[in-house]
């Protein structure tokens, strides 16, 4: 089979399962190709080194990457036509300690192709109401939880009358109505740098892909304090952990009280029909800081209601009982 056909089959399978990433990972006797989606990472296939090398080189060639470089990090981008749809792909490669190259391919979906229905629309309505206050709205949850999709859906309703700017690493969803900027550290354009540049464009709404460090945290807080509506994500185990993470990154209690509007936690939950749904809970700052530990009460109530309606299984409830 031609290498182009094998790659097409791989991309077709990944997109069918709503994968966010495809991995080419060196193994003891060849390569493992894995796919990440809302259910985690699964093995697509294993193959010998030569066949995997041909597939990787084919992708690297299309992404304008250096084929002979298999050790140093590289980034690339390409478009892939699948039936009547075109998908943007972002590639990242690097060699391990044995100089065996690994490759990760991020699949970027257009907003109209993302389908993440919710168990309960009340949290979305609550966030929409909160946006009138402006300020910072932070989403947390694991990779592949649909956080960016939810943020884009919320902001998309504002794009017609307001300027929306996104800063991501990498861009996860293409949206022509937004001004989208991508982090490029080699060119000196990190999150904090692009936020500063972005403020000169005077956007009404910022989408910041992720707060990872002190500079980005401070820049996001400053943008919120200056009257912008800012959506972002922070890695944390639970909503209360978001507050602790921001504090750890140097954001004072005073600035949190002034800037933070809401914290949301989201995951994609498998359903008995096979189509995942997004479970989302939303909290205001005051409700979170009044707790010493997060009790998951609201989250668990939503899970139990879904089980009563026959939407999810007992095993799913048990697996996601504490986020």
């Amino acid at each position: 089979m031609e290498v182009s056909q094998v790659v097409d089959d791989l991309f077709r399978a990944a997109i069918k399962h709503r994968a966010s990433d495809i991995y080419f990972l060196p193994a003891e006797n060849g390569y493992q190709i894995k796919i990440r989606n809302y259910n985690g990472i699964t093995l697509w296939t294993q193959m010998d080194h030569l066949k995997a090398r041909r597939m990787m080189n084919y992708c690297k060639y299309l992404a304008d990457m250096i084929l002979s470089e298999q050790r140093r990090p590289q980034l690339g981008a390409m478009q892939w036509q699948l039936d009547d749809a075109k998908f943007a792909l972002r590639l990242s490669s690097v060699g391990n300690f044995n100089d065996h190259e690994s490759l990760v391919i991020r699949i970027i979906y257009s907003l109209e192709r993302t389908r993440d229905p919710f168990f309960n629309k009340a949290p979305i309505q609550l966030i929409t109401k909160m946006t009138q206050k402006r300020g910072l709205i932070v989403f947390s949850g694991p990779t592949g939880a649909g956080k960016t999709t939810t943020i884009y859906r919320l902001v998309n309703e504002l794009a017609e009358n307001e300027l929306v700017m996104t800063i991501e690493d990498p861009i996860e969803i293409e949206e022509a109505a937004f001004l989208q900027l991508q982090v490029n550290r080699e060119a000196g354009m990190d999150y904090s740098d692009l936020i500063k540049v972005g403020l000169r464009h005077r956007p009404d709404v910022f989408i910041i892909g992720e707060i990872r460090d002190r500079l980005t945290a401070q820049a996001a807080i400053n943008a919120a304090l200056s009257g912008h509506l800012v959506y972002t994500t922070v890695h944390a185990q639970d909503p209360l952990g978001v507050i602790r993470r921001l504090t750890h990154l140097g954001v004072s209690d005073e600035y949190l009280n002034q800037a933070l509007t809401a914290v949301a936690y989201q995951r994609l939950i498998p359903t008995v029909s096979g189509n995942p749904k997004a479970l989302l809970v939303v909290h205001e700052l005051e409700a979170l800081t009044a707790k010493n530990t997060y009790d998951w009460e609201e989250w668990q109530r939503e899970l139990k209601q879904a089980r009563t309606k026959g939407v999810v299984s007992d095993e799913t409830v048990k697996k996601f009982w504490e986020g």
Side-chain angles (χ1 to χ4, degrees):
M1 187 181 295
E2 292 290 334
V3 64
S4 60
Q5 184 60 54
V6 180
V7 171
D8 186 80
D9 290 344
L10 170 60
F11 291 164
R12 190 177 297 275
I15 291 168
K16 177 183 177 181
H17 291 92
R18 299 295 304 165
S20 60
D21 300 277
I22 300 169
Y23 301 88
F24 287 78
L25 301 175
E28 185 175 356
N29 297 311
Y31 269 79
Q32 292 184 334
I33 301 179
K34 297 184 176 183
I35 295 174
R36 177 195 290 275
N37 68 1
Y38 62 92
N39 268 327
I41 298 177
T42 57
L43 178 67
W44 185 65
T45 191
Q46 298 184 95
M47 61 180 58
D48 61 56
H49 185 277
L50 180 59
K51 187 174 181 180
R53 183 75 261 159
R54 288 173 177 168
M55 291 179 67
M56 293 166 67
N57 281 346
Y58 179 71
C59 293
K60 288 174 65 177
Y61 170 75
L62 294 177
D64 198 26
M65 300 165 72
I66 302 171
L67 301 188
S68 60
E69 180 57 76
Q70 299 179 19
R71 183 171 61 89
R72 294 185 177 88
Q74 286 194 81
L75 299 175
M78 58 185 281
Q79 298 281 336
W80 189 262
Q81 187 77 33
L82 193 62
D83 298 330
D84 61 343
K86 186 176 290 186
F87 295 85
L89 307 177
R90 300 289 184 265
L91 287 74
S92 174
S93 67
V94 67
N96 67 8
F97 71 100
N98 284 324
D99 290 340
H100 293 155
E101 188 175 31
S102 62
L103 177 67
V104 181
I105 303 174
R106 170 66 58 88
I107 304 173
I108 301 173
Y109 299 87
S110 60
L111 189 60
E112 61 266 21
R113 287 188 170 271
T114 59
R115 298 184 181 90
D116 292 332
F118 296 88
F119 284 97
N120 188 345
K121 291 184 179 180
I124 291 295
Q125 296 168 351
L126 177 59
I127 293 179
T128 301
K129 183 178 180 180
M130 289 177 174
T131 60
Q132 299 173 6
K133 303 178 184 178
R134 295 286 158 168
L136 181 66
I137 297 178
V138 182
F139 276 72
S140 61
T143 301
K147 301 184 295 296
T148 301
T149 300
T150 297
I151 291 173
Y152 267 61
R153 287 188 181 281
L154 287 164
V155 176
N156 196 48
E157 299 177 4
L158 306 173
E160 184 176 348
N161 300 314
E162 297 188 315
L163 175 59
V164 178
M165 177 178 288
T166 80
I167 300 172
E168 299 175 76
D169 180 24
I171 300 297
E172 294 188 28
I173 299 173
E174 289 191 352
E175 176 50 60
F178 300 169
L179 177 57
Q180 296 181 285
L181 307 181
Q182 183 163 291
V183 169
N184 185 342
R185 293 178 180 83
E186 293 181 358
M189 296 189 299
D190 212 328
Y191 273 113
S192 57
D193 302 303
L194 288 175
I195 294 172
K196 293 176 183 178
V197 172
L199 285 170
R200 297 172 189 162
H201 281 68
R202 299 180 63 83
D204 299 290
V205 183
F206 262 121
I207 297 175
I208 302 171
E210 183 183 348
I211 292 180
R212 299 176 178 172
D213 53 44
R214 288 175 178 265
L215 288 176
T216 307
Q218 193 59 58
I221 289 290
N222 288 339
L225 290 174
S226 60
H228 297 83
L229 174 58
V230 181
Y231 283 93
T232 189
T233 67
V234 170
H235 278 296
Q237 296 287 339
D238 56 48
L240 184 57
V242 170
I243 308 300
R244 293 169 177 163
R245 176 64 174 158
L246 291 173
T247 302
H248 178 72
L249 291 174
V251 179
S252 68
D253 292 341
E254 179 184 358
Y255 280 172
L256 275 177
N257 289 329
Q258 293 181 43
L260 188 61
T261 299
V263 174
Y265 183 88
Q266 178 173 311
R267 292 203 68 172
L268 288 182
I269 309 295
T271 66
V272 294
S273 68
N275 297 315
K277 287 191 175 185
L279 182 54
L280 175 68
V281 291
V282 182
H283 303 280
E284 293 185 280
L285 176 62
E286 184 178 347
L288 286 176
T289 54
K291 303 177 180 181
N292 293 321
T293 59
Y294 190 71
D295 56 24
W296 295 105
E297 180 181 354
E298 184 177 346
W299 177 272
Q300 291 165 358
R301 183 169 62 249
E302 294 289 344
L303 277 177
K304 285 192 282 188
Q305 288 178 356
R307 178 65 189 96
T308 300
K309 295 176 182 178
V311 178
V312 301
S313 66
D314 290 330
E315 292 76 12
T316 296
V317 171
K318 183 178 180 180
K319 179 178 178 180
F320 294 93
W321 187 246
E322 294 190 354

